Amino acid sequence: MRGVRILLFALVWLSCVWFGSWERNDNQATRMYAAIGLVERGDASIDPYATLTIDKAMFGGRTYLDKPPGMTLMALPAVWIADRVTGDRASHYDSAIGGYDFDRYLRLRVRLAVAMGPALLTALAAVLLFDLSVGLSGSAGAGLFAALGYALGTPVWGWSTTLLGHAVVADLYVVAIWAVWRGLSLPRGASGHALLAGVALGWAVVVEHQAVLAGAVLALWAAWAARERADRGWLIGAALIGGVIALVPFATYNLVAFGTPFRIGYAGVVGWEGMHQGLFGLGMPRVSVLREVTIGARYGLIWVAPVLVLAPYGLWMWGQRPRTRSLAVAAALAAIVVLLVNAAYVYWQGGNTTGPRFAIPAVAPLALGLAAAWAHAGDRGIRIGMAALLALSIAINAAIASAEIFAPPGSAFPVWQAVIAGPFADGVLRTMPSEWFGWSPWAGFRWWCSLALPMLGWLVWRVRRVQA
């Protein structure tokens, strides 16, 4: 199965780097401005770019990133490499910031940061989800169904073309769940897996602070699952060390930016008064919002990831088996927590977004249910229907990833009106060949199809052969 894992990784990574998102989106660009400042000036402020973004914080008369710094810190190597290879720097555009040449400068660093960060993590998460699902179900088909459903059948794909942290948090949840499961399957010597789980959950908090809530559910499950092991104390200690290791860059960033490790960008946010309500914008969950982010036509997860309709049934089936019951409960609770946090947030819509972007981390625990749904579908006709649903989900998300993950608000049914029937149908796509090599957008999309579809076909053929 090594070949399946290698090709699955390649397919997902290629699909994430082949397409791109608008580099000047405020939410994305502000993270890159901070990364550029740190690499090129040794300064975390975004003062030179303050007029280019509405997403910013003010402290002591200076402008800073108003987001958690995780994605900015992950982008630092990409900025450094691009600067060294091209010899280019942001200061070369001081008189033309916001112009075409500056946009191209920014685009290169965003694309490279995506390739080295979100795309890499999503490809890794797909492989780990495959491994986890095969181990739990004994079915390679179930593993492939879950992995493809997660990485290409949901907006995890589209958000993995950006420097927003939603897909990365989902990826880190997958890493943590896999590390706990794999570690507990070993009779001893699982400290490395516990350390990895701690690092994954800790870094998720650095990327998106609210990730601590669903992450706490997974951490409690891990502690409970290890309750009868003689080395439980060592495992919990290793996990805590991993979490601390992940938080060190966060504290270091705060020291560089604010002179203290105990300040976050949200405390100085400008122009978003709702962030000063409750706990940085979090209040009580609202049922109406919960409905909107799950089944609502404007933001509902079900419309951008139809394959997830199978997830609750799959988690229920996992819950019927003693071996997987605690994992099923933890996965369901983690997904519910993510959705409730979205429903409690004052800016729950997320501005320009295709689908409910704050709900994307819930896809990680939900994807576990896809494996069980496939494994328990004994009838061939049912599996054909499930495969068709996955194919529909992949087609929808190919349109989203290539055309518009930042759909503007206002449409009654954005996935159709603002994406598929809009920029996608009109050929307004962002592909690597069209952005950098002068190809037409449709030519770039066709080349992705010519590479990805054979890879996908081989994966299906290989898994069916293994199952035969």
Side-chain angles (χ1 to χ4, degrees):
M1 300 295 285
R2 177 178 295 181
V4 171
R5 290 177 173 85
I6 292 172
L7 197 64
L8 175 61
F9 182 95
L11 170 62
V12 173
W13 184 82
L14 175 71
S15 298
C16 294
V17 301
W18 195 268
F19 302 115
S21 56
W22 184 39
E23 62 279 354
R24 287 280 300 281
N25 171 271
D26 291 293
N27 213 321
Q28 173 162 257
T30 191
R31 291 170 162 90
M32 184 54 70
Y33 297 150
I36 291 169
L38 286 167
V39 171
E40 298 186 357
R41 307 190 316 273
D43 183 2
S45 77
I46 60 170
D47 287 336
Y49 319 104
T51 60
L52 300 182
T53 179
I54 60 173
D55 287 331
K56 52 195 171 187
M58 294 291 295
F59 295 100
R62 303 197 69 191
T63 313
Y64 294 91
L65 171 73
D66 67 336
K67 314 294 181 187
M71 298 307 298
T72 287
L73 297 175
M74 289 174 64
L76 296 181
V79 176
W80 186 88
I81 290 171
D83 284 4
R84 294 305 179 275
V85 171
T86 65
D88 208 359
R89 298 173 65 87
S91 58
H92 297 168
Y93 306 95
D94 284 347
S95 61
I97 285 182
Y100 172 83
D101 290 336
F102 178 75
D103 284 356
R104 189 173 177 84
Y105 159 91
L106 188 65
R107 186 182 309 132
L108 173 62
R109 283 147 185 80
V110 169
R111 298 293 184 267
L112 187 57
V114 163
M116 297 173 63
L120 205 61
L121 276 175
T122 297
L124 174 63
V127 173
L128 296 183
L129 188 58
F130 173 82
D131 187 57
L132 173 60
S133 300
V134 172
L136 292 174
S137 67
S139 167
L144 186 62
F145 187 76
L148 292 176
Y150 169 81
L152 299 182
T154 73
V156 165
W157 182 1
W159 292 114
S160 296
T161 70
T162 77
L163 293 182
L164 276 69
H166 314 307
V168 167
V169 170
D171 298 336
L172 292 168
Y173 284 167
V174 171
V175 172
I177 293 170
W178 176 88
V180 172
W181 166 76
R182 176 64 76 181
L184 292 179
S185 68
L186 301 173
R188 58 183 181 274
S191 297
H193 291 84
L195 183 72
L196 176 60
V199 169
L201 293 178
W203 191 251
V205 176
V206 181
V207 172
E208 290 188 351
H209 296 330
Q210 69 271 22
V212 69
L213 299 174
V217 172
L218 298 178
L220 289 173
W221 160 68
W224 187 87
R227 68 193 183 282
E228 296 181 356
R229 291 181 61 109
D231 60 349
R232 180 190 181 195
W234 287 104
L235 297 180
I236 292 176
L240 290 174
I241 291 172
V244 171
I245 290 172
L247 293 175
V248 167
F250 177 42
T252 302
Y253 168 85
N254 284 342
L255 279 171
V256 172
F258 311 123
T260 172
F262 305 111
R263 177 179 287 174
I264 62 175
Y266 283 137
V269 68
V270 175
W272 302 95
E273 297 305 319
M275 293 297 295
H276 301 294
Q277 301 175 19
L279 180 62
F280 297 113
L282 290 178
M284 290 296 295
R286 290 153 289 176
V287 174
S288 59
V289 174
L290 190 61
R291 182 175 61 249
E292 281 292 322
V293 299
T294 52
I295 62 174
R298 289 186 304 163
Y299 297 101
L301 187 60
I302 199 65
W303 299 109
V304 291
V307 72
L308 290 182
V309 73
L310 303 170
Y313 165 74
L315 290 179
W316 173 262
M317 295 307 299
W318 283 138
Q320 305 310 301
R321 298 170 51 184
R323 178 175 173 239
T324 55
R325 184 171 297 146
S326 66
L327 174 57
V329 171
L333 288 177
I336 290 170
V337 167
V338 172
L339 294 174
L340 289 176
V341 170
N342 193 167
Y345 188 40
V346 62
Y347 298 116
W348 63 270
Q349 302 97 329
N352 287 13
T353 175
T354 305
R357 65 183 181 91
F358 296 122
I360 293 304
V363 173
L366 288 173
L368 290 172
L370 298 181
W374 183 271
H376 287 86
D379 185 83
R380 184 170 181 268
I382 294 176
R383 285 190 171 175
I384 291 175
M386 293 172 65
L389 187 61
L390 174 59
L392 172 64
S393 296
I394 292 175
I396 290 172
N397 284 282
I400 293 172
S402 63
E404 189 58 271
I405 189 65
F406 295 117
S411 301
F413 191 35
V415 69
W416 176 257
Q417 296 168 331
V419 179
I420 298 174
F424 184 77
D426 295 337
V428 183
L429 313 177
R430 292 185 178 91
T431 73
M432 182 169 55
S434 59
E435 285 189 332
W436 301 108
F437 308 130
W439 296 17
S440 73
W442 275 123
F445 187 84
R446 285 194 296 269
W447 266 98
W448 172 80
C449 291
S450 69
L451 293 171
L453 293 181
M455 296 167 76
L456 184 59
W458 186 89
L459 287 170
V460 172
W461 170 81
R462 181 69 178 129
V463 164
R464 291 188 64 185
R465 186 178 177 186
V466 169
Q467 295 290 108

